[in-house]
Amino acid sequence: MNIGLSIDKSACIMCGRCVKVCPSRIFSVSDAGGKHIEADASLGCIECGHCVDACESGAVRHSLFGEDKRHVVDVETLPRPEAVMELIRSRRSNRAFRKEPVPKDLLDRIVEAACLAPTASNGQELEFVVVTEPEHLRTISRYVMDSFSAMLRRMTRPVIRTVIRKAAPALWRYVPRFERMKSAFEAGEDPVLRGASAVIFICAPENSRFGCQDANLAYQNGSLMAESLGVSQFYTGFVCTAVSRDRRGELNRMLGIEGRIMAGMALGMPAFRYPYYVDRKPLKVKYL
């Protein structure tokens, strides 16, 4: 794609913001014919729009970001730092859901927030798959339980059990939990999605170098938006574990999903809201 990029010299105030924020360093200050800023998109524009967003005078002309795609930041509506921190502190993985489904408009806002997360080199390669059909949700739970049942059979074989207990105690401690999950599933319960009415899978192309990182950044955005909307959610760690062990991509085939499932979020309307939050372990930080 040929990108049109230029500087309106009549509007440019030589603040240098575009030079400072461009990750590809395609802006430069030139003294040829008088001091001015030059832009060369052929040097590797990644289409992030930082230059357009940073230019206070509107001098940057970018063919991908016309006036209809440039919006004024309403600083007055931004939450205070204290409010952001309270949201982060109170965000919990709530697995107690009501029967009613999450309204589609709320799911749309959660996905939009996730999509706005940064991606490596502004690749924006992620795809979001929203699963709400009850049969598809049951398929996900059955898939995970089949995977875990097979894993449990292997781990509890006499020789393998002895090796794992000694060499991988952190893995072995999951055996009793897997056994409880298996019993609950056989009794008609859903120990995987816990009655969630929706699942959002975050997928990346098979050849994506940073798909996992991009997906988990997106998850955090979506998670906080869900919390702010009063929608309960939890990370689908069991699903992601089963997917990572499945070289044939069975879940993708069953649901018709392309790309690799990198992260997932199970959602539902909460049966209750947590009235408290407890302190976490002491902060571990090192300043150098």
Side-chain angles (χ1 to χ4, degrees):
M1 178 186 295
N2 292 325
I3 296 173
L5 180 62
S6 62
I7 304 294
D8 182 350
K9 294 180 180 179
S10 65
C12 180
I13 59 175
M14 289 297 298
C15 64
R17 291 183 178 185
C18 55
V19 178
K20 295 175 182 177
V21 301
C22 178
S24 299
R25 303 180 68 84
I26 63 178
F27 293 85
S28 61
V29 178
S30 174
D31 290 317
K35 196 169 186 179
H36 60 279
I37 292 177
E38 294 182 343
D40 185 355
S42 68
L43 294 176
C45 176
I46 62 172
E47 305 171 18
C48 64
H50 284 346
C51 55
V52 176
D53 289 345
C55 183
E56 190 174 14
S57 64
V60 177
R61 299 286 188 260
H62 199 299
S63 60
L64 296 181
F65 306 107
E67 287 299 319
D68 61 322
K69 292 189 176 181
R70 184 169 180 258
H71 310 280
V72 176
V73 177
D74 188 352
V75 178
E76 295 301 319
T77 65
L78 297 179
R80 294 173 293 106
E82 294 80 8
V84 175
M85 184 58 77
E86 190 72 1
L87 177 66
I88 292 171
R89 283 174 174 153
S90 62
R91 193 215 68 80
R92 306 298 301 181
S93 296
N94 189 351
R95 296 171 174 82
F97 301 125
R98 300 199 302 267
K99 294 292 185 181
E100 66 187 85
V102 179
K104 183 179 180 300
D105 65 309
L106 299 189
L107 290 174
D108 289 342
R109 294 179 71 179
I110 293 168
V111 171
E112 181 183 7
C115 186
L116 290 173
T119 56
S121 297
N122 193 44
Q124 299 184 49
E125 300 175 318
L126 298 179
E127 180 179 358
F128 300 85
V129 178
V130 184
V131 184
T132 58
E133 289 292 332
E135 183 55 39
H136 291 335
L137 295 172
R138 285 191 289 271
T139 294
I140 295 170
S141 294
R142 283 196 300 269
Y143 166 82
V144 173
M145 290 311 306
D146 286 346
S147 175
F148 282 11
S149 294
M151 186 191 308
L152 190 61
R153 286 193 297 271
R154 287 192 292 272
M155 291 174 63
T156 53
R157 290 172 183 167
V159 175
I160 296 177
R161 176 176 57 197
T162 301
V163 173
I164 293 178
R165 291 180 69 174
K166 292 182 178 180
L171 176 61
W172 179 256
R173 69 184 177 87
Y174 277 97
V175 169
R177 186 171 183 181
F178 291 162
E179 290 175 336
R180 291 195 300 271
M181 290 176 66
K182 186 173 182 290
S183 298
F185 188 72
E186 291 172 349
E189 299 178 28
D190 181 2
V192 178
L193 299 182
R194 306 290 286 272
S197 63
V199 169
I200 298 174
F201 285 132
I202 308 174
C203 309
E206 290 289 344
N207 61 352
S208 176
R209 289 185 59 197
F210 300 103
C212 180
Q213 293 89 336
D214 290 347
N216 283 284
L217 286 171
Y219 171 85
Q220 289 297 338
N221 266 27
S223 170
L224 290 175
M225 176 56 77
E227 189 74 18
S228 74
L229 293 170
V231 178
S232 290
Q233 59 78 41
F234 63 87
Y235 192 88
T236 57
F238 286 141
V239 183
C240 292
T241 297
V243 168
S244 69
R245 299 179 62 254
D246 179 10
R247 296 182 179 181
R248 294 183 297 178
E250 286 297 314
L251 185 59
N252 289 60
R253 181 186 59 77
M254 289 186 285
L255 298 179
I257 297 175
E258 296 182 1
R260 297 163 62 193
I261 297 173
M262 294 294 189
M265 183 187 308
L267 306 103
M269 299 309 296
F272 55 84
R273 296 293 296 269
Y274 285 81
Y276 304 100
Y277 60 80
V278 297
D279 291 336
R280 300 297 178 93
K281 293 179 180 179
L283 180 66
K284 297 178 182 179
V285 60
K286 183 176 183 180
Y287 293 96
L288 299 176

